[in-house]
Tab-separated table of all heavy atoms in Angstrom:
chain	number	residue	atom	x	y	z
A	193	ARG	N	13.569	-2.924	19.161
A	193	ARG	CA	14.157	-4.271	19.078
A	193	ARG	C	15.591	-4.204	18.548
A	193	ARG	O	16.477	-4.907	19.037
A	193	ARG	CB	13.279	-5.157	18.190
A	193	ARG	CG	13.739	-6.605	18.152
A	193	ARG	CD	12.666	-7.500	17.593
A	193	ARG	NE	11.553	-7.646	18.499
A	193	ARG	CZ	11.521	-8.487	19.514
A	193	ARG	NH1	12.588	-9.239	19.788
A	193	ARG	NH2	10.471	-8.578	20.290
A	194	LEU	N	15.829	-3.375	17.541
A	194	LEU	CA	17.179	-3.265	16.986
A	194	LEU	C	18.135	-2.599	17.975
A	194	LEU	O	19.330	-2.927	18.000
A	194	LEU	CB	17.146	-2.480	15.668
A	194	LEU	CG	16.406	-3.162	14.509
A	194	LEU	CD1	16.453	-2.279	13.259
A	194	LEU	CD2	17.002	-4.528	14.199
A	195	GLU	N	17.622	-1.686	18.764
A	195	GLU	CA	18.465	-1.041	19.770
A	195	GLU	C	18.930	-2.084	20.797
A	195	GLU	O	20.098	-2.095	21.205
A	195	GLU	CB	17.693	0.083	20.459
A	195	GLU	CG	18.539	0.987	21.332
A	195	GLU	CD	19.592	1.763	20.546
A	195	GLU	OE1	19.346	2.091	19.357
A	195	GLU	OE2	20.681	2.025	21.125
A	196	ASP	N	18.009	-2.956	21.195
A	196	ASP	CA	18.385	-4.051	22.098
A	196	ASP	C	19.436	-4.946	21.453
A	196	ASP	O	20.428	-5.326	22.090
A	196	ASP	CB	17.155	-4.887	22.464
A	196	ASP	CG	16.232	-4.172	23.434
A	196	ASP	OD1	16.671	-3.181	24.045
A	196	ASP	OD2	15.072	-4.612	23.572
A	197	ALA	N	19.210	-5.268	20.186
A	197	ALA	CA	20.138	-6.156	19.484
A	197	ALA	C	21.524	-5.527	19.389
A	197	ALA	O	22.549	-6.210	19.567
A	197	ALA	CB	19.599	-6.467	18.089
A	198	LEU	N	21.576	-4.223	19.120
A	198	LEU	CA	22.861	-3.548	19.012
A	198	LEU	C	23.590	-3.564	20.361
A	198	LEU	O	24.809	-3.797	20.421
A	198	LEU	CB	22.653	-2.105	18.545
A	198	LEU	CG	23.913	-1.317	18.184
A	198	LEU	CD1	24.672	-2.002	17.050
A	198	LEU	CD2	23.545	0.110	17.782
A	199	PHE	N	22.848	-3.354	21.436
A	199	PHE	CA	23.446	-3.401	22.770
A	199	PHE	C	23.989	-4.805	23.058
A	199	PHE	O	25.118	-4.968	23.533
A	199	PHE	CB	22.412	-3.000	23.823
A	199	PHE	CG	22.883	-3.195	25.237
A	199	PHE	CD1	23.760	-2.298	25.830
A	199	PHE	CD2	22.463	-4.303	25.973
A	199	PHE	CE1	24.205	-2.486	27.141
A	199	PHE	CE2	22.906	-4.501	27.274
A	199	PHE	CZ	23.781	-3.593	27.861
A	200	PHE	N	23.182	-5.816	22.771
A	200	PHE	CA	23.609	-7.202	23.019
A	200	PHE	C	24.860	-7.540	22.206
A	200	PHE	O	25.779	-8.200	22.702
A	200	PHE	CB	22.493	-8.181	22.657
A	200	PHE	CG	21.281	-8.086	23.542
A	200	PHE	CD1	20.004	-8.279	23.030
A	200	PHE	CD2	21.406	-7.802	24.895
A	200	PHE	CE1	18.886	-8.207	23.837
A	200	PHE	CE2	20.291	-7.718	25.723
A	200	PHE	CZ	19.029	-7.914	25.182
A	201	PHE	N	24.884	-7.077	20.959
A	201	PHE	CA	26.002	-7.372	20.066
A	201	PHE	C	27.294	-6.774	20.616
A	201	PHE	O	28.340	-7.442	20.657
A	201	PHE	CB	25.689	-6.827	18.673
A	201	PHE	CG	26.700	-7.199	17.629
A	201	PHE	CD1	27.021	-8.525	17.375
A	201	PHE	CD2	27.339	-6.206	16.876
A	201	PHE	CE1	27.947	-8.863	16.398
A	201	PHE	CE2	28.260	-6.540	15.905
A	201	PHE	CZ	28.571	-7.871	15.664
A	202	GLU	N	27.217	-5.532	21.059
A	202	GLU	CA	28.406	-4.866	21.592
A	202	GLU	C	28.865	-5.519	22.893
A	202	GLU	O	30.072	-5.674	23.143
A	202	GLU	CB	28.127	-3.371	21.814
A	202	GLU	CG	27.860	-2.591	20.532
A	202	GLU	CD	29.029	-2.668	19.561
A	202	GLU	OE1	30.197	-2.701	20.018
A	202	GLU	OE2	28.774	-2.709	18.336
A	203	GLU	N	27.918	-5.915	23.735
A	203	GLU	CA	28.266	-6.582	24.988
A	203	GLU	C	28.899	-7.953	24.733
A	203	GLU	O	29.858	-8.340	25.392
A	203	GLU	CB	27.022	-6.732	25.873
A	203	GLU	CG	26.533	-5.443	26.486
A	203	GLU	CD	27.579	-4.834	27.418
A	203	GLU	OE1	28.014	-5.523	28.370
A	203	GLU	OE2	27.971	-3.670	27.173
A	204	ASP	N	28.335	-8.683	23.781
A	204	ASP	CA	28.856	-10.024	23.479
A	204	ASP	C	30.296	-9.962	22.972
A	204	ASP	O	31.102	-10.861	23.249
A	204	ASP	CB	27.976	-10.716	22.429
A	204	ASP	CG	26.652	-11.199	23.006
A	204	ASP	OD1	26.552	-11.304	24.240
A	204	ASP	OD2	25.725	-11.467	22.220
A	205	LYS	N	30.621	-8.915	22.239
A	205	LYS	CA	31.979	-8.806	21.694
A	205	LYS	C	33.023	-8.633	22.797
A	205	LYS	O	34.202	-8.914	22.597
A	205	LYS	CB	32.044	-7.644	20.694
A	205	LYS	CG	31.337	-7.942	19.376
A	205	LYS	CD	31.667	-6.947	18.283
A	205	LYS	CE	31.109	-5.584	18.538
A	205	LYS	NZ	31.334	-4.650	17.403
A	206	LYS	N	32.591	-8.179	23.975
A	206	LYS	CA	33.520	-7.989	25.089
A	206	LYS	C	33.877	-9.316	25.762
A	206	LYS	O	34.878	-9.404	26.471
A	206	LYS	CB	32.907	-7.046	26.128
A	206	LYS	CG	32.600	-5.644	25.604
A	206	LYS	CD	31.867	-4.832	26.659
A	206	LYS	CE	31.455	-3.469	26.128
A	206	LYS	NZ	30.674	-2.701	27.139
A	207	GLN	N	33.038	-10.349	25.570
A	207	GLN	CA	33.250	-11.633	26.232
A	207	GLN	C	34.161	-12.525	25.398
A	207	GLN	O	33.977	-12.658	24.198
A	207	GLN	CB	31.896	-12.336	26.443
A	207	GLN	CG	31.994	-13.691	27.112
A	207	GLN	CD	30.632	-14.309	27.368
A	207	GLN	OE1	30.238	-14.531	28.504
A	207	GLN	NE2	29.898	-14.585	26.301
A	208	THR	N	35.161	-13.132	26.049
A	208	THR	CA	36.045	-14.048	25.329
A	208	THR	C	35.380	-15.410	25.200
A	208	THR	O	34.441	-15.750	25.933
A	208	THR	CB	37.380	-14.228	26.071
A	208	THR	OG1	37.137	-14.919	27.307
A	208	THR	CG2	38.038	-12.881	26.337
A	209	ILE	N	35.886	-16.216	24.280
A	209	ILE	CA	35.352	-17.567	24.095
A	209	ILE	C	35.577	-18.400	25.345
A	209	ILE	O	34.689	-19.154	25.777
A	209	ILE	CB	35.983	-18.231	22.854
A	209	ILE	CG1	35.491	-17.532	21.570
A	209	ILE	CG2	35.656	-19.722	22.807
A	209	ILE	CD1	36.083	-18.073	20.295
A	210	ASP	N	36.737	-18.254	25.958
A	210	ASP	CA	37.022	-19.029	27.170
A	210	ASP	C	36.058	-18.672	28.300
A	210	ASP	O	35.627	-19.550	29.058
A	210	ASP	CB	38.467	-18.791	27.625
A	210	ASP	CG	39.475	-19.493	26.714
A	210	ASP	OD1	39.057	-20.426	25.998
A	210	ASP	OD2	40.658	-19.105	26.728
A	211	GLU	N	35.716	-17.400	28.412
A	211	GLU	CA	34.761	-16.983	29.440
A	211	GLU	C	33.386	-17.610	29.186
A	211	GLU	O	32.701	-18.043	30.114
A	211	GLU	CB	34.645	-15.458	29.461
A	211	GLU	CG	35.878	-14.763	30.034
A	211	GLU	CD	35.838	-13.257	29.832
A	211	GLU	OE1	35.061	-12.777	28.962
A	211	GLU	OE2	36.586	-12.552	30.537
A	212	ALA	N	33.018	-17.643	27.918
A	212	ALA	CA	31.727	-18.248	27.563
A	212	ALA	C	31.727	-19.739	27.866
A	212	ALA	O	30.750	-20.280	28.404
A	212	ALA	CB	31.423	-18.004	26.083
A	213	LEU	N	32.833	-20.421	27.522
A	213	LEU	CA	32.913	-21.862	27.768
A	213	LEU	C	32.829	-22.178	29.256
A	213	LEU	O	32.241	-23.196	29.653
A	213	LEU	CB	34.205	-22.428	27.176
A	213	LEU	CG	34.319	-22.397	25.641
A	213	LEU	CD1	35.695	-22.886	25.208
A	213	LEU	CD2	33.226	-23.240	25.002
A	214	LYS	N	33.406	-21.323	30.064
A	214	LYS	CA	33.353	-21.528	31.516
A	214	LYS	C	31.905	-21.484	32.003
A	214	LYS	O	31.497	-22.268	32.879
A	214	LYS	CB	34.197	-20.456	32.210
A	214	LYS	CG	34.337	-20.642	33.720
A	214	LYS	CD	35.145	-21.888	34.046
A	214	LYS	CE	35.345	-22.026	35.547
A	214	LYS	NZ	36.036	-23.295	35.900
A	215	LYS	N	31.118	-20.589	31.437
A	215	LYS	CA	29.714	-20.462	31.831
A	215	LYS	C	28.908	-21.709	31.474
A	215	LYS	O	27.914	-22.030	32.139
A	215	LYS	CB	29.083	-19.237	31.162
A	215	LYS	CG	29.608	-17.905	31.658
A	215	LYS	CD	28.925	-16.761	30.935
A	215	LYS	CE	29.463	-15.401	31.399
A	215	LYS	NZ	28.802	-14.284	30.679
A	216	LEU	N	29.320	-22.411	30.425
A	216	LEU	CA	28.580	-23.598	29.987
A	216	LEU	C	28.579	-24.705	31.035
A	216	LEU	O	27.726	-25.589	31.006
A	216	LEU	CB	29.160	-24.137	28.675
A	216	LEU	CG	28.971	-23.262	27.436
A	216	LEU	CD1	29.633	-23.908	26.228
A	216	LEU	CD2	27.484	-23.030	27.161
A	217	GLU	N	29.539	-24.650	31.951
A	217	GLU	CA	29.608	-25.673	32.996
A	217	GLU	C	28.400	-25.616	33.924
A	217	GLU	O	28.039	-26.623	34.540
A	217	GLU	CB	30.900	-25.509	33.801
A	217	GLU	CG	32.164	-25.749	32.992
A	217	GLU	CD	33.433	-25.468	33.785
A	217	GLU	OE1	33.302	-25.155	34.995
A	217	GLU	OE2	34.538	-25.557	33.211
A	218	SER	N	27.778	-24.474	34.015
A	218	SER	CA	26.617	-24.325	34.900
A	218	SER	C	25.301	-24.263	34.135
A	218	SER	O	24.248	-23.988	34.708
A	218	SER	CB	26.759	-23.067	35.767
A	218	SER	OG	26.901	-21.913	34.954
A	219	VAL	N	25.367	-24.510	32.826
A	219	VAL	CA	24.147	-24.525	32.009
A	219	VAL	C	23.755	-25.973	31.751
A	219	VAL	O	24.536	-26.745	31.196
A	219	VAL	CB	24.350	-23.781	30.670
A	219	VAL	CG1	23.077	-23.852	29.833
A	219	VAL	CG2	24.749	-22.338	30.912
A	220	SER	N	22.544	-26.348	32.154
A	220	SER	CA	22.104	-27.741	32.033
A	220	SER	C	21.628	-28.057	30.620
A	220	SER	O	20.856	-27.292	30.025
A	220	SER	CB	20.979	-28.023	33.027
A	220	SER	OG	20.455	-29.324	32.853
A	221	PHE	N	22.109	-29.173	30.105
A	221	PHE	CA	21.566	-29.703	28.852
A	221	PHE	C	20.268	-30.438	29.159
A	221	PHE	O	19.244	-30.225	28.524
A	221	PHE	CB	22.574	-30.643	28.187
A	221	PHE	CG	22.033	-31.354	26.979
A	221	PHE	CD1	21.662	-30.649	25.849
A	221	PHE	CD2	21.888	-32.735	26.973
A	221	PHE	CE1	21.146	-31.305	24.734
A	221	PHE	CE2	21.385	-33.399	25.866
A	221	PHE	CZ	21.019	-32.684	24.747
A	222	HIS	N	20.325	-31.326	30.157
A	222	HIS	CA	19.141	-31.997	30.688
A	222	HIS	C	19.493	-32.505	32.075
A	222	HIS	O	20.607	-32.963	32.319
A	222	HIS	CB	18.705	-33.156	29.782
A	222	HIS	CG	17.374	-33.730	30.152
A	222	HIS	ND1	17.216	-34.644	31.164
A	222	HIS	CD2	16.127	-33.501	29.648
A	222	HIS	CE1	15.932	-34.962	31.264
A	222	HIS	NE2	15.250	-34.286	30.362
A	223	ALA	N	18.505	-32.447	32.984
A	223	ALA	CA	18.768	-32.807	34.378
A	223	ALA	C	19.307	-34.223	34.530
A	223	ALA	O	20.129	-34.500	35.409
A	223	ALA	CB	17.489	-32.650	35.196
A	224	LYS	N	18.859	-35.141	33.666
A	224	LYS	CA	19.291	-36.533	33.767
A	224	LYS	C	20.590	-36.806	33.010
A	224	LYS	O	21.139	-37.906	33.096
A	224	LYS	CB	18.205	-37.468	33.235
A	224	LYS	CG	16.957	-37.521	34.093
A	224	LYS	CD	15.988	-38.567	33.554
A	224	LYS	CE	14.753	-38.690	34.438
A	224	LYS	NZ	13.821	-39.733	33.937
A	225	ILE	N	21.062	-35.834	32.254
A	225	ILE	CA	22.218	-36.072	31.380
A	225	ILE	C	23.437	-35.269	31.802
A	225	ILE	O	24.551	-35.793	31.872
A	225	ILE	CB	21.844	-35.773	29.912
A	225	ILE	CG1	20.768	-36.775	29.450
A	225	ILE	CG2	23.072	-35.842	29.012
A	225	ILE	CD1	20.196	-36.485	28.084
A	226	GLY	N	23.250	-34.006	32.108
A	226	GLY	CA	24.391	-33.195	32.518
A	226	GLY	C	24.370	-31.815	31.911
A	226	GLY	O	23.366	-31.361	31.360
A	227	SER	N	25.499	-31.137	31.990
A	227	SER	CA	25.613	-29.751	31.530
A	227	SER	C	25.946	-29.688	30.045
A	227	SER	O	26.318	-30.686	29.420
A	227	SER	CB	26.700	-29.030	32.326
A	227	SER	OG	27.975	-29.579	32.006
A	228	ILE	N	25.827	-28.485	29.496
A	228	ILE	CA	26.230	-28.251	28.104
A	228	ILE	C	27.729	-28.502	27.954
A	228	ILE	O	28.189	-29.022	26.926
A	228	ILE	CB	25.895	-26.810	27.674
A	228	ILE	CG1	24.376	-26.588	27.656
A	228	ILE	CG2	26.479	-26.517	26.303
A	228	ILE	CD1	23.639	-27.306	26.560
A	229	ALA	N	28.505	-28.171	28.972
A	229	ALA	CA	29.953	-28.402	28.917
A	229	ALA	C	30.252	-29.895	28.796
A	229	ALA	O	31.138	-30.307	28.028
A	229	ALA	CB	30.627	-27.824	30.160
A	230	GLN	N	29.500	-30.731	29.527
A	230	GLN	CA	29.703	-32.173	29.432
A	230	GLN	C	29.293	-32.690	28.054
A	230	GLN	O	29.963	-33.551	27.476
A	230	GLN	CB	28.892	-32.877	30.535
A	230	GLN	CG	29.452	-32.655	31.932
A	230	GLN	CD	28.521	-33.179	33.009
A	230	GLN	OE1	27.330	-32.866	33.034
A	230	GLN	NE2	29.070	-33.988	33.917
A	231	LYS	N	28.199	-32.172	27.542
A	231	LYS	CA	27.775	-32.569	26.199
A	231	LYS	C	28.833	-32.189	25.173
A	231	LYS	O	29.124	-32.956	24.251
A	231	LYS	CB	26.434	-31.919	25.830
A	231	LYS	CG	26.024	-32.202	24.376
A	231	LYS	CD	24.680	-31.644	24.032
A	231	LYS	CE	24.372	-31.814	22.551
A	231	LYS	NZ	24.501	-33.207	22.077
A	232	THR	N	29.403	-31.002	25.330
A	232	THR	CA	30.441	-30.543	24.413
A	232	THR	C	31.640	-31.495	24.427
A	232	THR	O	32.184	-31.836	23.378
A	232	THR	CB	30.890	-29.118	24.785
A	232	THR	OG1	29.752	-28.246	24.785
A	232	THR	CG2	31.927	-28.596	23.802
A	233	ALA	N	32.018	-31.931	25.619
A	233	ALA	CA	33.153	-32.857	25.740
A	233	ALA	C	32.850	-34.184	25.070
A	233	ALA	O	33.692	-34.750	24.346
A	233	ALA	CB	33.492	-33.069	27.209
């Protein structure tokens, strides 16, 4: 489990905040409400 966590941690550090925010546009908060990006706004 810790080996997985270490891999995830190192991979996450490679991603910029802007790249992550872009992905939120396609992540649904709720089908009737909208995406996580819309909720954030």
